[in-house]
Amino acid sequence: MAKDAGRQIEQLRKEIRRHDHLYYVLNRPEISDRRYDALFAELAELERANPELVTPDSPTQRVAGQPLEGFTTVRHAVPMLSMDNTYSAEELRAFDERVRRQLDGGTYDYVVELKIDGLAISLRYEEGILVAGATRGDGESGDDVTANIRTIKAIPLVLLGNGGIPAVLEVRGEVYMPTSSFVELNRLREEAGEPCFANPRNAAAGSLKLLEARITASRNLSFFAYSTGQLSAPLGVDHYETLERFRKLGLPVNPHIKKARDIDEVIDICVDWDHNRHDLDYQIDGMVIKVNRFDQRDILGATGRAPRWCISYKFAAEQAETVVESIDVQVGKSGILTPVANLRPVLLAGTTVKRASLHNFDEVRRLDVREGDTVVIEKAGEIIPQVVEVKKEQRQTRAAPFKLPSRCPNCGGPVKRDEEGVYIRCLNSACSGQLKERLKYFAGRGQMDIEHLGPALIEQLIETGLVKGFADLYRLRKEQLAGLDRMAEKSASNVIEAIQESKRRPLWRLIAALGIRHIGGQSAQILAEHFGSLEAIGAATQQELAGVDQIGPTMAESVYQYFHEPDTTAVIEELLKAGVSPEQLKTRRSDKLAGMTFVVTGTLENFSRQQAEQAIRQAGAKPSSSVSRKTDFVLAGDNPGSKLEKALKLGVKVIDEQEFVKMLGN
Ligand code: IVH
């Protein structure tokens, strides 16, 4: 049986790796997502039943179990140098002159690549297996981000090909976030009241430097390989050949890389990309030009910080001048006031820009931007328009400095500055502006997902006084909607039906919909699974919340505070009274086995590994993956393997499934 399972598992892994490569590297999937999920589920199930066969290179093992305490620093075997920059065709020609002189009349060609705007990393493969990943850091040493790197699906955990893979192969390249994923991530962050990333590079860097690999895994990072570090055997005689070998090994290489015979061809390619760069779904900030042959690179050598055989050509950031027609202050769902500049419409990098966020009042003061000012705007990472400069010399003398709001522009209620003095918040919890944003979020796709209840309708519902809180939605009747704009009878029934349907959404959706600061969909799921009900979350102490796997201290504090605000109990009671009854995934947590540590090994009859660990958590105990003297119980099923041996050696108490069920007492 185990032998059979072993073969089956290997087969499935091979199949899944092939599809990962087709999908993430070649952009050429051969099977549907559904079929892929089925293969993955089959593998996961087989591995659950045969835990001794799980190896770190399995596609199921991309996400590490435990968050890290911090990153360790690792020294690069070969330093990661930086690059000199050029900004014009003349400078490129000067670079070419230097190369020609030093190569002393020899013929040479270039490879021209896109300069991906992400962050450089180094991957280490030993015998074809990914063993480490590190950031560039200062070039000499960087952070060990292996756990996070492993979650990036474009990065193979095992290289493809039979034989011929160098025993040590360090691959260098750029981790980046596709523009579309960046836009979506910021949309979700904005909805959740979390600060947005300024551009995809910051988002990629922030996502790679998280201590929780599970969150990195959700960020849709990707990767392009562009050079090697330490190597036990060369992959080719030149750079272009090396990149082709990369492709054969299953590594993603950018498809737009080109050879150029001379500097004129290089310049043509650079100029083309300066125009076409907006067609890509990732950001590039220039081009990289590299001498192709390795023997010629050796002749050229390097200065202290950068090689002489390559240079970057940086695009100028696209800017436009326009006029600030007015400055609005918007109120967000947690009451934070955000200044926004309304601009005279102007074309910038392919889109018409009418508004630019001024971020916060500190920024307004720093720029000293005033209504009527002529300003220079730039797209940060070419996406979010930002005011980068105020043309003060063109200012009308009449323009007054922007006055900080002393009252909420929406409800006229009192406002307060936070301790750092950056944010101003409306303190009126009944502010209709805040309420609108809270309701839009509540009904949003990632939360209660109420179809037909869009922003315009929500605004009307609040303005007409039909809705004053979440629970009012569930009391709406069709006739009440009839009088609203663009509301035919059929649409009214659709809205009511959709609202009613949302009453039985899973618990995590309701938790997410409450709009607790720092709690997005993922942490809501963890809370729902762990506690099983809103009451249980509300009853938890801050320490208990922080003790939950993947819930950090900031989240714990925020959840605790939310449930101890005077209004919260009423909001929740009202919702339950109005008939909202979230589907409860797990039974209520008990503390029968509080403080104990369990290790599960072997196959159980009535529980999968995950279910057993879930039951352990729900009883207040902690599941662990390795046996030590601190382990209280080892729960052993069939074919338990080395963990049982270790338990017996250390004298740890071993229990079987029957005993386990008895201890749980349910
Ligand atoms: S080659 C000796 N190729 O640009 C430097 N770098 O400004 C070898 N980058 O730190 C790097 N795209 O993060 C190379 N196609 C590409 C690149 C690229 C982006 C980044 C890389 C490097 C930075 C230098």
Side-chain angles (χ1 to χ4, degrees), residues 80-85 113-121 136 173-174 225-227 239 257 285 288 290 305-307 309-310 312 314:
M80 295 177 79
L81 298 183
S82 46
M83 242 187 289
D84 288 329
N85 296 323
E113 305 181 0
L114 307 185
K115 189 168 185 302
I116 316 292
D117 201 7
L119 72 156
I121 57 152
R136 177 173 181 276
E174 200 84 352
Y226 52 62
S227 71
H239 180 57
I257 294 177
D285 58 340
V288 182
K290 302 174 177 173
R305 45 162 250 128
W309 45 260
C310 89
S312 82
K314 298 268 271 220

Side-chain angles (χ1 to χ4, degrees), residues 88-97 100 108-112 258-273 287 289 311 313:
S88 65
E90 292 72 62
E91 285 178 279
L92 279 177
R93 287 187 200 282
F95 162 75
D96 181 54
E97 278 306 318
R100 185 195 317 275
Y108 54 91
D109 59 351
Y110 289 115
V111 175
V112 185
K258 273 200 177 145
K259 271 196 213 178
R261 264 167 311 177
D262 54 37
I263 201 68
D264 286 328
E265 268 189 35
V266 167
I267 292 168
D268 284 349
I269 299 173
C270 290
V271 170
D272 277 355
W273 276 110
M287 305 293 289
I289 296 99
I311 197 111
Y313 170 77

Side-chain angles (χ1 to χ4, degrees), residues 433-454:
Q434 285 187 47
L435 185 57
K436 276 177 198 167
E437 296 308 314
R438 276 204 290 272
L439 272 172
K440 285 180 201 167
Y441 184 71
F442 184 87
R445 243 191 308 156
Q447 294 71 245
M448 293 299 263
D449 193 16
I450 309 181
E451 235 191 309
H452 309 295
L453 186 59

